[in-house]
Amino acid sequence: MNHYERIKAALNFQPVDRVPVNLWAHLPEYDQNPKSLARKQVEFAQQYDFDFIKLMPFGLYAVEDYGAEIKYYAQRDHPAVLSKPGINHYSDWQKVEPLPGNYGTYGKQVELAKYVREFSQGQLPFIQTIFNPLTNALKLAGNRLVLDIKEHPDEVKQALEALTETTINFINENINAGVDGFFYATQTATANLFTREEYLEFGRPYDLKVLNAFKDKTWFNVAHIHGDHTYFDLIADYPVQALNWHDRSVVPSLKEARQQTNKALIGGLHELPYEDVETGSRPSILVTGSVNEVEKHVQEAIDEVNGKGLIIGPGCVASQEVPDANIYALRSAVGFSTARESV
């Protein structure tokens, strides 16, 4: 099977020659130059024989054009951070207007997609990372959003409509650039920020507008559910082919999720720090684990769902400090386990 055939088979719960796999991380030393980032991402996927590319624009790309001020470090494992919000008073929400999908910082990410298409030469599926409107509102305003949706809901909804339109414009530009799908990330479907009722009012309606803009135009679409105490069930029925979340550190597990959804699952890798009963706190099994531990880690994930409808990947971005030996280990682990588990 080639990479396209393997991913399509996994998404459709069909037999695969091995379980597909990928690992992704922010690349802040490259992500301000679309051509450099594209070249690095394609080289990374080819070096480790991964099965698709998740484009990795920096996490604040969607708010810079709305006035948020960003501090860039352009250093390994040191992503850009917000230095000043774009929303500083509730009246600022009224200034948020729709933008063209190829405007400013958005446009750089469209160029990223074009370069990846050029450099990958049709050998690897690739999907663009987009954030849902409520997540972009949170990145634009910071924690004042939590207060503003209670005290000034109409102003926030007006802005969410504009952010939704901008996102759809961006989606259309990426489809024209040749992406195979989208990695649709919500960082706001969590009780840590909003009540279930608030997400149903300020999150889900705008999510569905965005998702409906591409669900029939692309074939490899993923919903990423970020954080803990999430409203997993609200996102699980979205019109996408696959779900991704921190399955190794929050509920549900892969096995539990298989009982809750008929979508393909992307996960199985614990990219976060964790507590080891013997050695105490460890940054991540991917960073500090041995080759044998990483291989066992991957096999555990495959066993949870018998390798069916599964793509091995992290619950969110991995550290750039994962050693080469462990990256090769997670790739080799799917190579020698799937003949038994996936047919």
Side-chain angles (χ1 to χ4, degrees):
M1 284 181 150
N2 64 33
H3 298 299
Y4 277 90
E5 292 168 342
R6 190 174 297 113
I7 290 291
K8 288 181 178 180
L11 293 177
N12 289 291
F13 290 77
Q14 296 171 348
V16 292
D17 58 345
R18 64 166 176 80
V19 172
V21 61
N22 193 12
L23 184 72
W24 54 88
H26 283 300
L27 300 167
E29 67 270 51
Y30 300 103
D31 64 16
Q32 295 309 300
N33 184 310
K35 190 171 187 178
S36 295
L37 180 58
R39 194 181 303 279
K40 189 66 177 178
Q41 288 213 250
V42 172
E43 289 174 352
F44 182 79
Q46 291 173 338
Q47 177 180 350
Y48 299 105
D49 192 30
F50 288 147
D51 288 296
F52 72 96
I53 296 173
K54 174 191 175 295
L55 300 186
M56 293 301 299
F58 74 104
L60 294 166
Y61 79 85
V63 298
E64 186 172 42
D65 295 322
Y66 282 108
E69 296 182 12
I70 315 296
K71 182 174 178 59
Y72 299 99
Y73 297 94
Q75 297 175 10
R76 181 180 173 86
D77 231 9
H78 202 160
V81 297
L82 184 71
S83 61
K84 184 179 178 181
I87 302 294
N88 296 286
H89 186 268
Y90 80 87
S91 62
D92 291 339
W93 291 114
Q94 298 174 319
K95 302 174 185 177
V96 178
E97 297 181 349
L99 297 174
N102 58 359
Y103 177 84
T105 307
Y106 281 98
K108 291 172 66 176
Q109 316 321 317
V110 176
E111 292 301 305
L112 169 63
K114 291 177 180 178
Y115 281 124
V116 166
R117 181 184 63 182
E118 175 185 346
F119 297 154
S120 62
Q121 298 182 326
Q123 301 301 306
L124 286 158
F126 65 100
I127 59 178
Q128 178 64 278
T129 300
I130 54 177
F131 298 97
N132 75 323
L134 191 59
T135 294
N136 285 334
L138 180 66
K139 293 183 177 188
L140 189 58
N143 289 334
R144 74 161 299 120
L145 172 65
V146 178
L147 180 64
D148 283 347
I149 67 168
K150 293 176 172 63
E151 297 186 349
H152 306 284
D154 292 340
E155 287 83 352
V156 173
K157 286 182 179 180
Q158 176 184 314
L160 288 171
E161 289 286 356
L163 292 169
T164 297
E165 186 172 340
T166 298
T167 305
I168 292 172
N169 292 340
F170 180 63
I171 284 165
N172 290 333
E173 293 291 340
N174 277 276
I175 291 173
N176 292 337
V179 302
D180 294 290
F182 295 92
F183 187 90
Y184 187 77
T186 173
Q187 299 176 356
T188 47
T190 167
N192 293 344
L193 290 170
F194 303 108
T195 66
R196 186 180 182 89
E197 291 71 26
E198 287 171 337
Y199 196 82
L200 286 169
E201 182 176 357
F202 293 89
R204 185 178 170 92
Y206 305 97
D207 288 345
L208 293 176
K209 286 183 181 181
V210 173
L211 291 162
N212 286 334
F214 63 81
K215 67 181 179 67
D216 297 322
K217 299 177 182 178
T218 49
W219 61 271
F220 184 11
N221 301 308
V222 182
H224 171 68
I225 313 164
H226 189 85
D228 58 3
H229 304 110
T230 65
Y231 303 123
F232 184 90
D233 62 310
L234 295 183
I235 311 300
D237 71 346
Y238 279 3
V240 295
Q241 284 73 40
L243 302 175
N244 172 248
W245 73 105
H246 308 273
D247 66 277
R248 285 284 191 158
S249 55
V250 305
V251 295
S253 66
L254 290 175
K255 184 177 181 179
E256 292 166 341
R258 176 57 70 234
Q259 306 305 312
Q260 299 177 36
T261 178
N262 60 0
K263 292 180 170 61
L265 308 177
I266 301 179
L269 300 180
H270 199 321
E271 82 291 350
L272 296 172
Y274 71 104
E275 290 294 325
D276 185 280
V277 294
E278 296 181 356
T279 61
S281 180
R282 299 175 69 173
S284 164
I285 193 169
L286 300 178
V287 175
T288 63
S290 67
V291 165
N292 287 340
E293 286 176 320
V294 171
E295 290 175 346
K296 180 182 178 182
H297 187 67
V298 173
Q299 186 62 59
E300 288 171 350
I302 292 171
D303 289 345
E304 281 199 65
V305 292
N306 295 318
K308 300 293 194 334
L310 175 68
I311 298 171
I312 292 292
C316 195
V317 292
S319 168
Q320 286 185 276
E321 300 306 315
V322 180
D324 281 353
N326 284 356
I327 301 177
Y328 281 117
L330 71 91
R331 167 59 187 87
S332 67
V334 300
F336 62 66
S337 65
T338 57
R340 182 176 75 250
E341 299 293 345
S342 301
V343 294

